[in-house]
Amino acid sequence: MLNKVLPIAGLIAAVSLSGCGGPTQNIDVTNDPGKAVLELDYRDFDQAAAAMVQSLIQSGSLKKAGGGRYVVATGRIVNDTMQRIDTDQLMAKVEKDLLNSGMVVMTSAVGGKGASDEMIYQVRDIKKGDRQDEFDPNSMPATRQIIAPELSLSGKILQRNVRYDRSTQQVEYYFQLHLTDISSGLRFWQDEKIIGKRGSRSSVPW
Amino acid sequence: MVKRTVVCGWALALVGAGCHPGSSDPRVNTALGVQSDTLASNIITRPIGDFISMMVGEGIEVRDVKERKTDAGFLEIQISGYNHSVARKLFDYKVEWLDADGMVVDTAMSRWIQMSAMPKSEFAFGAIAPHPRAVSWRINTRVNRNVQ
């Protein structure tokens, strides 16, 4: 009797376990019809970046008087949400479009998180170090060559959780960016994009 | 006699369903419940109008497309239209920009953007090219099911 029951029980267990998790699928990130989630996902960053770039180009703030291109640094982008966000998720898209617009040049030498490319300074440090003899001095960057930024793009991502009703919570995300003229300290442009979501109170958006 | 009255009521509701007066100036749209009741909008006949609107599948109509170049040489567009439905229409749109050779210009702005058009109301949305070399464009739309 036990000989018959055990294989059947094993088969049932195997079948039920195999149905627990569906197969992994890649997301169609260009036309994703997936449901919204309470946390910030890539679609929210896409929407925020698109709105910000459109607003910034439309404002005309990037048109330099007398022609030429502004040198822009990405300043500090504060993550004031309950989620672990790398703010580059937003800024990489914004920077890419600003660069491609042909109106600005981004600098990698300074930024809110320090230089975005440490190699600028590593190569310069070689000139003062033990390994300086290994390099052709003519190929080393000269002093006073780095161009200082004229404009700084900085901002904040904020989160507010609001109780909507007994079973629903509302989560509001605010994407704020502003463009400041570094020499005068004057603000040339700023905008805010709000993304609001409602979902179960049992979900925790972080 | 009763039959005739019911038929007349339906006919009037059918005729009135498409009308949406309430403002002497077309630039000012007064929503249902804000404006005075009409034959199409009163509490008895409105469900009939709503039903007809739903049955005929009324949606949005694009009425005007405007283009201009900004001072910096960027092409800017505005799409205006009208939502014929008695319900709010939620949709996404995506603008793709094309250069003079018809090649798509890659940009973070070519993303699905949410749009909401109020019932029986005008709506408009705009976009700006990511680069002066973008000289043409195309727009795609899809139903948005993720927004309340």
Side-chain angles (χ1 to χ4, degrees):
Chain A
M1 178 66 183
L2 199 64
N3 282 356
K4 269 189 181 176
V5 171
L6 274 178
I8 292 169
L11 192 69
I12 290 168
V15 168
S16 56
L17 279 174
S18 68
C20 283
T24 303
Q25 289 177 314
N26 283 345
I27 302 170
D28 174 8
V29 290
T30 47
N31 295 297
D32 189 356
K35 290 177 190 170
V37 292
L38 212 49
E39 298 85 10
L40 286 173
D41 73 356
Y42 77 93
R43 289 171 292 182
D44 302 316
F45 284 103
D46 275 356
Q47 288 238 352
M52 290 298 175
V53 173
Q54 176 162 323
S55 169
L56 188 46
I57 293 177
Q58 236 159 3
S59 72
S61 315
L62 297 175
K63 193 182 176 199
K64 195 171 185 178
R69 294 189 287 178
Y70 278 118
V71 180
V72 181
T74 300
R76 198 162 164 238
I77 311 290
V78 178
N79 171 23
D80 199 4
T81 70
M82 295 166 198
Q83 294 164 57
R84 222 183 131 105
I85 293 169
D86 186 341
T87 52
D88 286 351
Q89 266 186 283
L90 175 72
M91 294 314 293
K93 298 174 207 296
V94 175
E95 288 169 11
K96 179 192 146 192
D97 259 22
L98 293 185
L99 263 175
N100 288 348
S101 73
M103 301 187 87
V104 305
V105 185
M106 303 298 299
T107 175
S108 300
V110 286
K113 296 177 184 171
S116 61
D117 193 342
E118 288 295 333
M119 194 57 69
I120 297 166
Y121 300 104
Q122 279 181 31
V123 171
R124 282 167 171 79
D125 288 345
I126 290 170
K127 287 201 290 188
K128 304 168 207 157
D130 301 336
R131 286 180 289 177
Q132 58 176 304
D133 294 340
E134 301 292 334
F135 289 84
D136 175 359
N138 295 322
S139 69
M140 297 299 279
T143 52
R144 299 175 191 275
Q145 291 297 301
I146 297 173
I147 307 293
E150 298 164 283
L151 302 175
S152 168
L153 199 55
S154 53
K156 204 174 199 180
I157 308 172
L158 294 146
Q159 176 180 347
R160 278 198 70 225
N161 286 21
V162 182
R163 184 181 161 148
Y164 184 69
D165 60 29
R166 282 184 66 185
S167 60
T168 313
Q169 66 174 322
Q170 179 169 300
V171 187
E172 300 161 3
Y173 298 101
Y174 300 80
F175 291 81
Q176 300 172 339
L177 277 186
H178 45 252
L179 184 75
T180 307
D181 177 41
I182 292 172
S183 62
S184 66
L186 299 176
R187 194 171 292 181
F188 282 5
W189 166 88
Q190 76 174 59
D191 205 353
E192 179 181 72
K193 163 86 178 164
I194 302 172
I195 291 177
K197 296 161 183 258
R198 284 189 195 124
S200 166
R201 286 193 70 203
S202 57
S203 302
V204 185
W206 65 65
Chain B
M1 182 64 185
V2 176
K3 257 188 184 174
R4 191 177 294 173
T5 311
V6 171
V7 170
C8 283
W10 268 90
L12 281 169
L14 277 168
V15 172
C19 307
H20 197 245
S23 171
S24 59
D25 191 319
R27 291 173 296 183
V28 183
N29 180 48
T30 47
L32 292 172
V34 177
Q35 60 173 258
S36 303
D37 270 3
T38 63
L39 185 63
S41 67
N42 81 51
I43 197 161
I44 297 161
T45 54
R46 194 169 64 208
I48 302 165
D50 290 359
F51 177 74
I52 293 163
S53 171
M54 198 180 72
M55 288 305 287
V56 299
E58 286 180 326
I60 66 160
E61 176 199 358
V62 172
R63 287 184 168 174
D64 187 37
V65 175
K66 284 190 164 63
E67 285 187 4
R68 71 174 174 197
K69 279 266 176 115
T70 67
D71 293 343
F74 289 77
L75 181 62
E76 195 175 7
I77 58 168
Q78 180 184 274
I79 315 298
S80 309
Y82 187 81
N83 177 13
H84 291 278
S85 171
V86 292
R88 183 176 55 137
K89 280 282 173 191
L90 289 165
F91 61 97
D92 295 333
Y93 66 89
K94 181 155 82 171
V95 186
E96 282 184 312
W97 297 94
L98 309 168
D99 66 15
D101 300 320
M103 303 290 276
V104 174
V105 178
D106 181 36
T107 168
M109 289 190 281
S110 288
R111 294 289 179 269
W112 288 108
I113 309 287
Q114 292 167 11
M115 182 67 203
S116 168
M118 291 297 285
K120 301 283 180 196
S121 297
E122 304 270 353
F123 68 89
F125 60 86
I128 191 161
H131 194 279
R133 76 167 188 275
V135 293
S136 185
W137 51 273
R138 62 184 178 217
I139 291 180
N140 209 345
T141 58
R142 70 178 184 186
V143 176
N144 184 320
R145 298 186 202 283
N146 277 335
V147 175
Q148 281 188 334

Coordinates of all heavy atoms in Angstrom, one line a residue, chain B residues 7 13 25 33 55 59 67-68 73-74 80 82-83 93 95 99 107 118 120-121 145:
Chain B
V7 N -40.9 56.4 -27.2 CA -40.2 56.5 -28.5 C -39.7 57.9 -28.7 O -38.5 58.1 -29.1 CB -41.0 56.0 -29.7 CG1 -40.3 56.3 -31.0 CG2 -41.3 54.5 -29.6
A13 N -33.5 62.0 -26.8 CA -32.2 61.7 -26.1 C -31.1 61.5 -27.1 O -30.0 61.9 -27.0 CB -32.4 60.5 -25.2
D25 N -18.8 80.8 -25.3 CA -17.5 80.9 -25.9 C -16.9 79.5 -26.0 O -16.7 78.8 -25.0 CB -16.6 81.8 -25.1 CG -15.3 82.1 -25.8 OD1 -14.7 81.2 -26.4 OD2 -14.9 83.3 -25.7
G33 N -22.6 68.5 -15.0 CA -22.7 68.7 -13.6 C -22.3 70.1 -13.2 O -22.7 70.6 -12.1
M55 N -21.7 52.6 -27.0 CA -22.0 51.6 -28.1 C -21.3 52.0 -29.4 O -20.8 51.2 -30.1 CB -23.5 51.5 -28.3 CG -24.2 50.8 -27.2 SD -23.5 49.2 -26.9 CE -24.1 48.2 -28.3
G59 N -14.4 58.2 -29.3 CA -13.1 58.4 -28.8 C -12.5 59.8 -29.1 O -13.3 60.7 -29.3
E67 N 3.2 73.3 -36.0 CA 4.6 73.1 -36.0 C 5.3 74.5 -36.0 O 4.8 75.4 -36.6 CB 5.1 72.4 -37.2 CG 4.9 70.9 -37.3 CD 5.5 70.2 -38.5 OE1 6.2 70.9 -39.3 OE2 5.3 69.1 -38.7
R68 N 6.4 74.6 -35.3 CA 7.2 75.8 -35.4 C 8.6 75.5 -35.0 O 8.9 74.5 -34.4 CB 6.6 76.9 -34.4 CG 6.8 76.7 -33.0 CD 6.4 77.8 -32.1 NE 6.5 77.5 -30.7 CZ 5.9 78.2 -29.8 NH1 5.1 79.2 -30.1 NH2 6.0 77.9 -28.5
G73 N 16.5 76.6 -33.1 CA 16.4 75.7 -34.3 C 15.7 74.4 -34.0 O 15.8 73.5 -34.9
F74 N 15.1 74.2 -32.9 CA 14.4 72.9 -32.6 C 13.0 72.9 -33.1 O 12.3 73.9 -32.9 CB 14.4 72.7 -31.1 CG 15.8 72.4 -30.5 CD1 16.7 73.4 -30.3 CD2 16.2 71.1 -30.2 CE1 18.0 73.1 -29.8 CE2 17.4 70.8 -29.7 CZ 18.3 71.8 -29.5
S80 N -3.6 69.0 -31.2 CA -4.9 69.4 -30.5 C -6.0 68.5 -31.0 O -6.0 68.0 -32.1 CB -5.3 70.8 -30.8 OG -4.2 71.7 -30.5
Y82 N -10.2 66.6 -29.8 CA -11.4 66.6 -29.0 C -11.8 65.2 -28.6 O -11.7 64.2 -29.4 CB -12.5 67.2 -29.9 CG -13.8 67.4 -29.1 CD1 -13.9 68.6 -28.3 CD2 -14.8 66.5 -29.2 CE1 -15.1 68.8 -27.6 CE2 -16.0 66.8 -28.5 CZ -16.1 67.9 -27.7 OH -17.3 68.1 -27.0
N83 N -12.2 65.1 -27.3 CA -12.6 63.8 -26.9 C -14.1 63.7 -27.0 O -14.9 64.4 -26.3 CB -12.2 63.6 -25.4 CG -12.7 62.3 -24.8 OD1 -13.2 61.4 -25.6 ND2 -12.7 62.1 -23.5
Y93 N 1.0 58.3 -25.5 CA 1.5 58.7 -26.8 C 3.1 58.6 -26.8 O 3.7 58.8 -25.8 CB 1.0 60.0 -27.3 CG 1.5 61.2 -26.6 CD1 2.7 61.8 -26.9 CD2 0.8 61.7 -25.5 CE1 3.2 62.9 -26.2 CE2 1.3 62.7 -24.7 CZ 2.5 63.4 -25.1 OH 3.0 64.4 -24.4
V95 N 6.3 60.0 -29.3 CA 6.8 60.8 -30.4 C 8.1 60.3 -30.9 O 9.0 60.1 -30.0 CB 6.9 62.3 -30.1 CG1 7.2 63.1 -31.4 CG2 5.6 62.8 -29.4
D99 N 15.3 62.4 -38.8 CA 16.1 63.4 -39.5 C 15.8 63.5 -41.0 O 14.8 62.9 -41.4 CB 17.6 63.0 -39.2 CG 18.1 61.8 -39.9 OD1 17.3 61.3 -40.8 OD2 19.1 61.2 -39.6
T107 N 16.4 59.4 -28.6 CA 16.3 60.3 -27.5 C 15.5 59.8 -26.3 O 14.6 58.9 -26.6 CB 15.6 61.6 -28.0 OG1 15.2 62.4 -26.9 CG2 14.3 61.3 -28.8
M118 N -10.4 65.0 -21.0 CA -11.7 65.0 -20.2 C -12.8 64.8 -21.2 O -12.7 65.0 -22.4 CB -11.8 66.4 -19.6 CG -10.9 66.6 -18.4 SD -11.1 65.4 -17.1 CE -12.6 66.0 -16.3
K120 N -15.9 65.0 -23.6 CA -16.5 66.1 -24.4 C -15.7 67.3 -24.3 O -16.2 68.4 -24.1 CB -17.9 66.3 -24.0 CG -18.9 65.2 -24.1 CD -19.3 64.9 -25.5 CE -20.2 63.7 -25.7 NZ -20.3 63.2 -27.0
S121 N -14.4 67.2 -24.3 CA -13.5 68.4 -24.1 C -12.3 68.4 -25.1 O -11.9 67.3 -25.7 CB -12.9 68.3 -22.7 OG -13.8 68.4 -21.8
R145 N -3.9 51.6 -19.4 CA -4.8 50.8 -18.4 C -4.2 50.9 -17.0 O -4.7 50.3 -16.1 CB -4.9 49.4 -18.8 CG -5.6 49.2 -20.1 CD -5.8 47.7 -20.4 NE -6.0 47.5 -21.9 CZ -7.1 47.8 -22.5 NH1 -8.1 48.3 -21.9 NH2 -7.2 47.5 -23.8

